[in-house]
Amino acid sequence: MIVNMEKTTTSKIEKKLQELREDGGVVALGRVLTLIIETNSDHLEKAIEAANGASRLHPSRIIVLVSNLEQGDKSPRLDAEIRIGGDAGASEVVVIRAFGDANSNTESMVTGLLLPDAPVVAWWPSDCKANPSKNPIGQIATRRITDAAAQRDASGFLRQLAKNYAPGDSDMSWTRITLWRSQLAALFDNEKNRRVVEIRVLGSIISPSVRLLAGWLSMQLGVDAKIIHELSGIAIEGIAGVEISFDQGELAIIRSGDVASIGQTGSPDSSVLLPKRSDQDCLMEDMRFLGEDEVYGAVLKNELSKQ
């Protein structure tokens, strides 16, 4: 069900939510957190789709603040759209469009809609500033999720994130490499007695996930990782693989499609499922762990801030 409300207020939106719950026999007690999304109209539906999917594991109240609106006569106005039931997954979605001076204080627009005694997660799936903890919404959030890959200058954005890092910050470019880090960490267990000589990450020159994976490997293994952007003169898309040379032997994990082949000196060749992660997958992970991601913070501060 979708309910449209024009020229409304936060208090009226909350009242309408209560009426809809009472009429439909739905309670909000099962909601575990409030997810606030700040995005532009181009990314709106994709962001809601990912949030709805994530809410099946983490039932939430989802509040979406839409930017880059046509302001028209600039007169202050608040329009809202409430989605519940089949249009909202396991959540309730409130889409807010603020016009004119009504858009001057985003925190005040959401304060009355927050679930009581529940953590707040903020997500910017499109362009945003690289200082999420100073954002009005970020200041009330336990977890703040950006997406460097959605920025015009991903490398510059990562450098700014490193300078502005605060506990609770996260980025989807980091959670996109969770499967890579888990698989590599498992493979390292067989290589504890070998000295690392060289690390090569095969990946796109524009991918922030490639930069983060290389930084993580450098930090874990104590050797600067080289990033290889081309193979046989052809630019690599996304992350294609990791190659590690030891004083005795080699380790390589190369992805083709959703499957990665593993070659390791002293072990038979094998393969593992290593698909690209969706925004929904990454969002579910960040909503599961609301504390500080110390490893992510260390990679940002110790690796990216040097560049």
Side-chain angles (χ1 to χ4, degrees):
M1 177 189 297
I2 299 179
V3 177
N4 292 304
M5 302 175 67
E6 295 184 355
K7 297 181 180 179
T8 187
T9 63
T10 299
S11 60
K12 290 180 180 178
I13 296 171
E14 175 60 29
K15 183 178 180 181
K16 189 63 176 179
L17 280 169
Q18 293 177 358
E19 291 176 357
L20 291 171
R21 285 198 299 268
E22 291 172 359
D23 293 342
V26 179
V27 297
L29 297 178
R31 308 288 183 244
V32 297
L33 57 83
T34 302
L35 173 62
I36 304 175
I37 304 172
E38 283 196 278
T39 188
N40 57 45
S41 54
D42 292 337
H43 290 77
L44 175 62
E45 293 302 329
K46 183 180 178 181
I48 291 177
E49 180 181 1
N52 281 343
S55 74
R56 300 188 188 281
L57 187 60
H58 307 287
S60 315
R61 170 172 290 181
I62 300 170
I63 304 171
V64 188
L65 304 178
V66 185
S67 61
N68 77 318
L69 299 169
E70 294 293 338
Q71 293 294 325
D73 60 6
K74 306 288 185 178
S75 58
R77 189 177 89 244
L78 203 68
D79 291 348
E81 179 183 300
I82 300 175
R83 305 183 185 185
I84 61 174
D87 294 294
S91 62
E92 47 195 12
V93 179
V94 180
V95 180
I96 298 176
R97 296 176 173 86
F99 300 86
D101 292 341
N103 196 36
S104 60
N105 190 339
T106 53
E107 183 179 352
S108 66
M109 284 191 287
V110 303
T111 300
L113 297 173
L114 301 179
L115 293 175
D117 303 320
V120 176
V121 176
W123 177 33
W124 295 269
S126 52
D127 57 303
C128 64
K129 294 183 178 179
N131 198 353
S133 65
K134 298 300 182 182
N135 180 287
I137 297 300
Q139 290 178 344
I140 63 175
T142 303
R143 190 76 159 182
R144 299 170 294 272
I145 310 166
T146 52
D147 190 351
Q151 313 306 313
R152 295 179 181 177
D153 178 9
S155 296
F157 187 82
L158 284 179
R159 286 194 295 270
Q160 291 301 311
L161 283 180
K163 294 178 181 179
N164 299 323
Y165 175 79
D169 288 355
S170 184
D171 192 273
M172 284 200 163
S173 298
W174 174 250
T175 44
R176 289 187 184 110
I177 61 172
T178 295
L179 299 181
W180 280 96
R181 292 187 290 116
S182 298
Q183 187 61 49
L184 286 164
L187 292 170
F188 292 160
D189 286 342
N190 298 326
E191 308 291 352
K192 291 180 179 179
N193 298 323
R194 294 176 178 175
R195 181 174 61 87
V196 177
V197 176
E198 185 179 27
I199 305 170
R200 298 174 296 279
V201 177
L202 315 180
S204 169
I205 194 171
I206 63 173
S207 170
S209 291
V210 171
R211 295 274 304 279
L212 290 171
L213 181 58
W216 176 75
L217 285 165
S218 298
M219 189 178 72
Q220 294 295 318
L221 301 179
V223 175
D224 288 340
K226 299 178 181 178
I227 299 178
I228 309 300
H229 299 303
E230 294 184 351
L231 289 176
S232 302
I234 301 175
I236 301 172
E237 295 184 4
I239 300 175
V242 173
E243 298 174 336
I244 301 175
S245 297
F246 300 94
D247 53 355
Q248 296 179 1
E250 300 277 340
L251 166 63
I253 176 168
I254 306 298
R255 180 167 68 181
S256 178
D258 289 342
V259 177
S261 59
I262 300 173
Q264 194 170 15
T265 301
S267 300
D269 291 345
S270 60
S271 61
V272 64
L273 191 63
L274 202 62
K276 294 182 179 179
R277 304 190 79 196
S278 66
D279 286 354
Q280 178 180 315
D281 294 332
C282 296
L283 192 57
M284 284 192 293
E285 180 179 332
D286 272 312
M287 292 166 73
R288 183 183 302 119
F289 303 108
L290 299 181
E292 179 181 6
D293 189 334
E294 295 179 355
V295 178
Y296 167 69
V299 169
L300 275 182
K301 290 186 287 187
N302 295 338
E303 298 297 331
L304 296 172
S305 60
K306 298 177 185 177
Q307 301 180 20

